[in-house]
Amino acid sequence: MMNKKAGKMNMAMLVLLTAFFMLWTIGTVNVFSATFAEDMSSGSAFGHLIRQLVFSVIGLIPAMYVFKRDYRDLKKHTAWLYAVTVLLLLAVLAAGVTVNGAKRWIGFAGFTFQPSELAKLTVILCTATILAPMIEAGKRIEFLVPWKTGRGTSALQRLTVYPQRCLALTLVLAVPVVVQPDAGTAIIIMALPILMLWISGARVMHVKYPLLAAAVLAGLCLLAAPYRMNRIVAWLDPWGYEKTLGYQTVQGLIAIGSGGIMGQGLGEGISKFSYLPEAHTDFAFAVLAQEWGLRGSLVMLLLFSAIIYYGCICAINCKDPFGRLLAFGVTMYFGVQGFINIGMVSGMLPVVGVPLPFISYGGTSLIVNMVAAGILLNICKSNRREAQRQAPAGTLRELKSMRDETRSVFRPGRS
């Protein structure tokens, strides 16, 4: 009996909840399958699985909190969340844990925390908080803002521009991540607010020359770091460097191809046994494709596609600019990471350190994923309630009439 918009939001919430739960379930099983052999060498086959379940319980607490509260309350916490994120990123550079040559984690009590994962969610909240009032005021949004406009402004002042405030704040977060070094995560941190600005009306053609300059700067950074250049070389010709630079890409392709249509069976994949590096983290999709086959890979693509589609439906149907931008940013958070990771593992993109949401092992990533899912489901729930409140008066009269008729049948004399 609910109206069309409320029914659409109800469907979006149901599909999103199902997709998130299925991804978490598949990811938990995949983590166990990818790590049980490694854990058995240390005396227990459930080490990584137990840690993943512990992080799931920890992540469920803030996820339920953001789901039950009004998502608009998040605006009150954006400033201190941004400050905490900056401090954590600086703490990583000062006293972080170094693994495989990268300093990305803060260690405490046997656990590690990766602040760059938190930075992804922080930039989404910052961008939505900054742009929403501008949209409500009817202001024009651009990537670059003139230093000064109006009468009496010189040509030099009009030509002098600076980044939109949300982009400037994003740069403060992205620079320490690049220094760690973690270029893949830095790219995502920068991409999310850019997509949110674009959806808010910012015109790409107005920044074509700064984009060209940024591309040149990115090329120089690429040449300055030999390991990044090696990744590009390995991506262009992985089989030519299958024993050296392209080893990880080649092993990922072998794992995917050997899975066939039906897969080798849960736990039966052999690539995770010292062949495929990072089998339970960045290359978790390769293990899944080998053991679950093409059917499992298609299910994975379908789940991420469903999150993107219904997340955008949720954003489009949200009248509140803050909720609309937040829903779109969270949707792109899952979509961009999902397809970058799958493209990386399948050889369509260079190897970058981007985890597959809910599938790759990692405590910080899992917690942030659960919180992001809670925010998106909260916005869907709020949209549904708003649509129900705006039901046509005629529909409400019909519902009351049906209620009275039902009472008169089952409870005579008390209609």
Side-chain angles (χ1 to χ4, degrees), residues 32-343:
F32 172 67
S33 177
T35 59
F36 75 88
E38 177 185 344
D39 289 339
M40 284 184 67
S41 62
S42 59
S44 172
F46 305 99
H48 284 81
L49 176 63
I50 292 174
R51 292 169 71 92
Q52 189 80 344
L53 291 175
V54 169
F55 282 119
S56 298
V57 174
I58 295 173
L60 191 61
I61 298 172
M64 291 301 298
Y65 176 81
V66 297
F67 175 72
K68 289 183 175 295
R69 296 290 298 270
D70 188 340
Y71 68 86
R72 297 173 187 86
D73 292 343
L74 293 173
K75 288 187 284 189
K76 304 174 185 177
H77 308 297
T78 302
W80 70 261
L81 178 63
Y82 181 84
V84 169
T85 305
V86 171
L87 291 175
L88 288 174
L89 288 173
L90 294 177
V92 169
L93 298 180
V97 177
T98 302
V99 179
N100 295 330
K103 188 185 290 187
R104 303 174 185 173
W105 298 269
I106 297 175
F108 59 95
F111 291 90
T112 56
F113 179 78
Q114 190 173 356
S116 58
E117 291 294 326
L118 179 62
K120 299 173 186 176
L121 191 57
T122 301
V123 296
I124 295 173
L125 283 169
C126 284
T127 304
T129 302
I130 291 171
L131 296 183
M134 298 175 64
I135 295 175
E136 291 174 348
K139 294 182 180 179
R140 184 70 191 179
I141 296 176
E142 297 291 352
F143 291 105
L144 300 177
V145 182
W147 184 260
K148 191 175 181 181
T149 57
R151 302 177 64 180
T153 304
S154 66
L156 179 61
Q157 289 175 323
R158 288 195 298 269
L159 290 174
T160 305
V161 294
Y162 61 92
Q164 187 69 251
R165 187 155 57 103
C166 57
L167 284 182
L169 293 174
T170 301
L171 281 171
V172 175
L173 297 178
V175 170
V177 176
V178 173
V179 175
Q180 289 178 0
D182 191 356
T185 300
I187 289 172
I188 293 176
I189 291 173
M190 288 300 303
L192 291 172
I194 289 174
L195 287 172
M196 294 171 70
L197 278 164
W198 174 72
I199 203 69
S200 301
R203 291 166 288 186
V204 176
M205 292 306 295
H206 281 201
V207 290
K208 53 182 180 293
Y209 296 117
L211 281 177
L212 181 61
V216 173
L217 181 61
L220 293 176
C221 291
L222 185 69
L223 295 173
Y227 79 94
R228 295 193 187 115
M229 195 63 194
N230 290 340
R231 288 181 176 181
I232 299 296
V233 171
W235 171 56
L236 293 174
D237 186 16
W239 296 100
Y241 301 90
E242 61 178 313
K243 300 295 184 182
T244 53
L245 302 178
Y247 178 79
Q248 197 169 15
T249 301
V250 168
Q251 291 300 319
L253 292 173
I254 291 174
I256 294 173
S258 62
I261 296 177
M262 305 303 291
Q264 297 180 359
L266 182 62
E268 299 296 327
I270 62 172
S271 290
K272 61 195 175 191
F273 297 109
S274 303
Y275 292 101
L276 182 62
E278 309 298 337
H280 61 298
T281 53
D282 294 346
F283 275 70
F285 178 75
V287 175
L288 185 143
Q290 186 175 50
E291 297 185 350
W292 300 53
L294 178 62
R295 57 177 180 173
S297 302
L298 291 178
V299 168
M300 190 64 53
L301 291 172
L302 180 63
L303 290 174
F304 278 104
S305 299
I307 291 173
I308 293 172
Y309 178 77
Y310 282 99
C312 289
I313 290 292
C314 176
I316 291 170
N317 286 275
C318 186
K319 291 186 177 181
D320 174 37
F322 176 74
R324 188 185 316 129
L325 286 169
L326 190 58
F328 179 78
V330 171
T331 300
M332 292 300 102
Y333 164 84
F334 288 111
V336 170
Q337 286 192 107
F339 286 101
I340 284 181
N341 180 276
I342 293 173

Side-chain angles (χ1 to χ4, degrees), residues 368-396:
V368 174
N369 290 338
M370 296 179 75
V371 172
I375 292 173
L376 188 56
L377 291 171
N378 186 329
I379 298 172
C380 277
K381 179 181 67 174
S382 300
N383 287 351
R384 183 182 61 181
R385 288 178 178 175
E386 184 69 22
Q388 290 172 341
R389 283 197 297 266
Q390 296 176 354
T395 302
L396 295 176

